[in-house]
Amino acid sequence: MKQRCAGVAAILICILLAACRTGDGDRADRLARGSHDARSRAARPGDRPDEAQRYYLEKRLPPGDVDIPVERYLAARERMRHMQLAEKRSFGAWSSLGPGNIGGRTRALLIHPKNPRVLYAAGVAGGVWKTTDGGRRWFPLSDLMPNLAVNTLAMDPASPDTLYAGTGEGTFPNRAVRGAGIFRTADGGITWQRLPATAGEEFWYVNDVAVSKADPRRIYAATWKGVFRSLDRGASWVRVLDPGTQYGCLDLALRTDLSADMLFAACGTLEPSSAVWRNPRANAPRSRWQKVLTEPQMGRTTLALAPSNQNVIYALAASYSTRGDNGPDNLYFHSLHAVFRSTAGGAEGTWEARVRNSDSEMLNTLLLSYPSLRLCTDARHAKIEGQGWYDNTLAVDPVDPERVWAGGIDLFRSDDGGRRWGLASYWWANGSSSYVHADQHVLVFHPGYNGTTNRVLFAANDGGIFRTMNALATTARGQGAACDAGRSQMAWQALNNDYAVTQFYHGVPFPDGSAFLGGTQDNGTVLGRGAAGRNGWRVVLDGDGGYVAVDPRNPKVLYAERPTRALQKSVDGGVTFAPAQDGLGGFFSFVTPFLIDPQHPDRLWMAGYTVWRTEDSAAQWQQASEVWAEWQTDRGVASTMTIHPADSDRLLVGTTKGTIHHTAAATTSNEHTVWPGAKPRSGWVSGLAFDPQEPGVAYAVYSTFGGVHVWKTVDGGATWTPLDGSGAGALPDLPVHAIAVDPTRRRRLYIGTDLGIFVSVDGGKSWTVENTGFANVVTEALQTLQAGGKTWLYAFTHGRGAWRVPLTE
């Protein structure tokens, strides 16, 4: 299904922030698929959503800026409208390879109240998706809207085809994923338009949107600048609450049983001044807000009203402590602070702490932590580690105000108003019915939920969308509850069917094109096979992924990298992996570049603040260059590298500071060898490629805004000339991440950018926009492959999965 955005949305929804489904990081070394032994894998957590977000930001950020300059995307999109389109005879038909079954970070989920088979899902990459058959098949609402970082969705209660999408993620310390306001659709997502009044700075990070049931003209938005109100369906806005916190407001709860809008707002997150505010008549022009709940060390807080008795409201607060190491709250830093409840409409003085992190029953204190890490490891390694500033959600059973759900790393349920909690999902038990992907962001009950014939609950997280048909099933409690997935009778099913929103950092096809390997953000290293189809991918290595490689002699030998040079090797096609980093040391980028020598596959290269080489299939590494000068001056490390396909001595290495190092004697270099460097411009070198036949010819691309993005050398890297084109064929100022050379028509170049793929048929003198079926999505990796009598171009995107297309004459 292909549809197109209308008006301004076609510009903005296409451009924004496909960035970072940050999340599942190098998490506590998740259990292998099908394994249920929590003790064997819980000892090494490492979920680093903030680092992944920072990596995304640093690749693009111009000097002096602290936020992604969305306006430059606007200018680039306008420039693209006037560029020539790539000739269709240059391409065959693009095919989506998937993964359709892996999912990705989903921060918003809505269900049509009259037709529950219609659901909408959205996240920070891949755009807004829809299903009309209850999750059996998802489809993007438009191929022109994958780059919108949607943080929240809201539905008009009187007109369910009218939706509001708030953009930008405001919880991260660096706020890498900036938005561009609130978008509206009145036709179930076919067309979108930005609300013009939300184009300003106040709406760069929209964290929640709520529509009044009493009068749908009244809309409220929680943004990084406070709470805003519109009385005219978003045509105009006024700020009604400035909480005085650095991160503004992140969650809203709006009563639906009153004619006036009683509104609650939770404000603050990574700061010790968070609070819950209440306004009994938020729709009134001069209504007053009151701070009704706050405590020292109270961090990000989420809210949930009890639908069956809206005098009951709950608050789930993470801990944010600035105390010393021995402070009781510091032990729970970014984990649970407390669960609060008011049964008197949330008025000041009526909030009771139902459970705190000091509770005598340990499981009750781990709502925002890794339960298995604390309870299923030996005393030397057991600890409390959470990220309640990132994954933190709350919901109340529609018919029972005493039954409340909480989501952090895993899902929990309380049946007694939040006093005692049972574990309802297990992130490490992939392969069992108790498995739900980690990092919970949304909990939504079926519109027909009644607690008897309908007990359906949906959860959305960093792995997509999950559903249980019995939200009242027995949860796991007591000793050993976190260590045995069989202790819970909760059964979950993933609904990631054609939900192709995976965010690749890197990817490669197998030598014969029959399979595909890629490293992703949130969802590890994934392997797909053409015969298995888009929904047949599997995770072969957990944790955040990175660069990957396949031995051209033996496709059972795979290499995969976890962030910061944690190289892993498999000799059985990805069934098992083992560390392959002996000898490596020093400093590396979050996503560390490495590659395999196609002429001598036992030789691999990796680069950080220097170059490393192995001659024995990664059994042992040796230093192969001096430490970069830019590391010593301004901490520049390698960001990308390439090797000539026919000359093992020719390597190029680009750095995060703009230098491109080169050598024609790589196989004999050592720790004393100086690799000369040239610096065409400042910024992040994001991609390199050699001409396959001329060893001295190579290309480089930069992802940092500002300046020329494509460069060419004809002397092996000593000097570089700009290649952004000119006139009508000039590239817009847009991050470029990858470049590939057509091996049969070498003047034909392909680049992957934040807005899809551009093509040059004249060696870079002019560029055209690829518009033959590929989405305008962040494209991180490109590779050509000659197989089956054809030349193929593979594209690995950061938000729409993997693709390929046959290249034609």
Side-chain angles (χ1 to χ4, degrees):
M1 177 177 180
K2 268 192 187 178
Q3 300 158 327
R4 293 187 180 269
C5 303
V8 176
I11 298 175
L12 289 173
I13 294 183
C14 292
I15 56 174
L16 292 179
L17 316 173
C20 299
R21 218 176 337 267
T22 67
D24 245 9
D26 183 14
R27 189 181 303 282
D29 203 13
R30 289 183 223 285
L31 289 183
R33 180 176 289 271
S35 171
H36 296 182
D37 180 8
R39 299 178 188 275
S40 65
R41 290 296 194 99
R44 282 200 302 123
D47 190 13
R48 292 172 288 178
D50 52 340
E51 291 187 37
Q53 200 82 321
R54 189 178 304 113
Y55 171 79
Y56 179 85
L57 181 69
E58 290 175 352
K59 286 188 69 176
R60 295 161 172 81
L61 203 62
D65 284 12
V66 295
D67 292 299
I68 295 292
V70 172
E71 296 76 14
R72 300 201 191 190
Y73 284 116
L74 291 173
R77 189 71 182 99
E78 183 65 19
R79 175 81 185 85
M80 291 169 65
R81 291 181 60 241
H82 299 286
M83 292 180 69
Q84 181 181 347
L85 302 181
E87 298 181 15
K88 291 189 177 181
R89 64 183 178 88
S90 300
F91 293 93
W94 283 97
S95 299
S96 172
L97 303 176
N101 60 315
I102 299 296
R105 183 161 95 247
T106 302
R107 280 200 177 272
L109 183 66
L110 292 179
I111 307 175
H112 195 292
K114 297 179 181 178
N115 182 5
R117 292 173 64 80
V118 174
L119 291 85
Y120 301 89
V124 296
V128 181
W129 290 63
K130 183 176 182 178
T131 177
T132 58
D133 55 12
R136 292 183 179 180
R137 180 182 177 269
W138 293 85
F139 54 87
L141 289 177
S142 170
D143 275 346
L144 289 179
M145 54 184 303
N147 290 358
L148 180 62
V150 180
N151 197 42
T152 181
L153 287 172
M155 184 177 286
D156 185 329
S159 176
D161 285 335
T162 298
L163 311 177
Y164 298 89
T167 66
E169 285 190 288
T171 61
F172 286 91
N174 45 41
R175 294 196 182 101
V177 189
R178 201 184 103 182
I182 299 173
F183 295 79
R184 181 179 182 268
T185 177
D187 52 20
I190 297 174
T191 59
W192 295 82
Q193 293 181 336
R194 181 170 67 166
L195 299 176
T198 66
E201 178 182 359
E202 294 88 351
F203 294 87
W204 280 357
Y205 302 94
V206 180
N207 299 307
D208 201 5
V209 175
V211 183
S212 172
K213 184 177 181 180
D215 184 350
R217 294 174 298 178
R218 305 196 297 249
I219 310 171
Y220 303 90
T223 86
W224 71 317
K225 297 295 184 180
V227 176
F228 291 78
R229 179 188 66 209
S230 173
L231 301 178
D232 51 15
R233 291 189 168 89
S236 62
W237 296 80
V238 61
R239 182 163 63 180
V240 293
L241 173 62
D242 179 358
T245 59
Q246 179 184 356
Y247 290 85
C249 298
L250 287 96
D251 199 26
L252 298 174
L254 179 62
R255 288 187 66 159
T256 61
D257 60 337
L258 303 173
S259 58
D261 291 340
M262 179 177 286
L263 182 65
F264 298 85
C267 306
T269 175
L270 297 172
E271 50 202 322
S273 56
S274 300
V276 175
W277 297 73
R278 186 183 81 146
N279 189 330
R281 295 180 56 82
N283 55 294
R286 296 184 179 180
S287 57
R288 296 183 61 184
W289 288 83
Q290 184 179 23
K291 188 184 294 187
V292 295
L293 173 64
T294 187
E295 288 187 351
Q297 283 77 53
M298 178 173 146
R300 180 185 173 185
T301 302
T302 51
L303 303 168
L305 287 158
S308 60
N309 179 2
Q310 296 190 44
N311 282 315
V312 178
I313 182 171
Y314 291 85
L316 170 62
S319 174
Y320 183 82
S321 174
T322 56
R323 294 184 177 184
D325 292 340
N326 296 323
D329 276 325
N330 196 67
L331 180 66
Y332 283 84
F333 185 59
H334 292 326
S335 293
L336 180 69
H337 176 70
V339 175
F340 300 94
R341 183 179 72 169
S342 168
T343 58
E348 185 181 19
T350 67
W351 292 83
E352 173 195 3
R354 302 292 288 175
V355 68
R356 293 185 179 274
N357 59 33
S358 57
D359 194 88
S360 58
E361 187 171 341
M362 180 59 65
L363 187 64
N364 290 340
T365 74
L366 302 178
L367 305 185
L368 298 175
S369 309
Y370 296 87
S372 56
L373 177 63
R374 175 62 181 86
L375 299 175
C376 309
T377 57
D378 60 69
R380 293 175 301 166
H381 299 104
K383 60 180 178 178
I384 296 166
E385 185 166 316
Q387 48 194 40
W389 61 271
Y390 172 69
D391 37 46
N392 184 324
T393 187
L394 193 65
V396 184
D397 187 295
V399 298
D400 185 351
E402 293 293 308
R403 185 169 289 119
V404 59
W405 285 78
I409 308 298
D410 285 314
L411 293 167
F412 288 79
R413 192 187 75 215
S414 171
D415 299 326
D416 59 1
R419 286 195 182 277
R420 296 188 66 226
W421 294 83
L423 193 56
S425 73
Y426 295 79
W427 62 260
W428 50 263
N430 199 346
S432 82
S433 61
S434 298
Y435 168 74
V436 176
H437 196 285
D439 296 339
Q440 313 305 318
H441 301 298
V442 187
L443 287 164
V444 181
F445 287 94
H446 190 285
Y449 183 100
N450 56 22
T452 55
T453 59
N454 187 318
R455 299 178 176 183
V456 178
L457 171 66
F458 297 85
N461 47 56
D462 277 8
I465 302 153
F466 290 74
R467 179 184 65 193
T468 179
M469 301 301 291
N470 184 9
L472 302 186
T474 303
T475 58
R477 293 184 178 179
Q479 187 71 22
C483 312
D484 179 4
R487 294 281 294 274
S488 170
Q489 295 181 22
M490 294 292 307
W492 298 88
Q493 176 189 11
L495 297 184
N496 301 321
N497 306 305
D498 289 330
Y499 188 51
V501 296
T502 306
Q503 291 177 291
F504 283 99
Y505 284 129
H506 187 250
V508 297
F510 277 50
D512 63 356
S514 65
F516 334 101
L517 184 69
T520 75
Q521 189 174 317
D522 299 354
N523 289 287
T525 300
V526 294
L527 175 66
R529 298 191 181 278
R534 289 188 299 176
N535 293 317
W537 288 64
R538 61 191 179 95
V539 177
V540 294
L541 184 64
D542 293 323
D544 266 350
Y547 272 64
V548 294
V550 180
D551 189 321
R553 301 166 307 182
N554 181 2
K556 288 187 176 294
V557 177
L558 310 176
Y559 298 91
E561 179 256 335
R562 285 170 166 163
T564 317
R565 64 93 173 146
L567 187 67
Q568 306 283 310
K569 178 182 177 181
S570 173
V571 296
D572 52 16
V575 177
T576 60
F577 278 84
Q581 51 198 354
D582 284 352
L584 289 171
F587 298 88
F588 298 80
S589 174
F590 178 72
V591 176
T592 303
F594 78 90
L595 52 83
I596 192 168
D597 186 337
Q599 297 295 315
H600 302 278
D602 289 334
R603 181 185 297 130
L604 288 86
W605 302 86
M606 181 175 279
Y609 76 158
T610 183
V611 178
W612 300 86
R613 182 181 65 236
T614 175
E615 302 283 354
D616 52 11
S617 302
Q620 186 67 37
W621 292 83
Q622 300 86 32
Q623 188 173 333
S625 80
E626 280 194 342
V627 173
W628 309 130
E630 56 265 46
W631 166 258
Q632 299 170 358
T633 57
D634 55 7
R635 292 300 185 260
V637 295
S639 51
T640 186
M641 61 193 311
T642 191
I643 186 172
H644 194 280
D647 186 347
S648 301
D649 273 318
R650 285 193 176 271
L651 262 73
L652 295 172
V653 179
T655 74
T656 57
K657 301 300 180 180
T659 301
I660 303 172
H661 295 275
H662 61 92
T663 183
T667 60
T668 58
S669 63
N670 58 38
E671 70 271 20
H672 304 298
T673 304
V674 176
W675 290 31
K679 191 172 185 178
R681 56 160 287 192
S682 297
W684 191 292
V685 186
S686 49
L688 295 162
F690 274 106
D691 183 292
Q693 295 185 24
E694 296 187 53
V697 176
Y699 302 89
V701 294
Y702 286 73
S703 58
T704 304
F705 277 105
V708 174
H709 289 279
V710 185
W711 297 79
K712 180 180 180 180
T713 180
V714 296
D715 54 14
T719 61
W720 297 81
T721 56
L723 213 64
D724 270 14
S726 60
L731 288 171
D733 179 14
L734 188 65
V736 180
H737 305 286
I739 185 165
V741 182
D742 190 323
T744 61
R745 296 174 299 278
R746 292 167 17 247
R747 288 176 58 78
R748 184 166 293 172
L749 309 175
Y750 310 92
I751 58 172
T753 77
D754 268 3
L755 292 181
I757 292 174
F758 290 74
V759 184
S760 174
V761 297
D762 55 13
K765 292 181 180 179
S766 62
W767 294 90
T768 58
V769 178
E770 199 297 302
N771 193 38
T772 60
F774 191 77
N776 287 3
V777 64
V778 175
T779 304
E780 288 280 5
L782 294 173
Q783 183 168 324
T784 58
L785 176 70
Q786 292 176 294
K790 295 182 180 180
T791 302
W792 300 85
L793 177 67
Y794 288 80
F796 295 84
T797 76
H798 201 74
R800 279 288 182 88
W803 297 71
R804 74 176 173 189
V805 63
L807 302 179
T808 59
E809 293 295 337

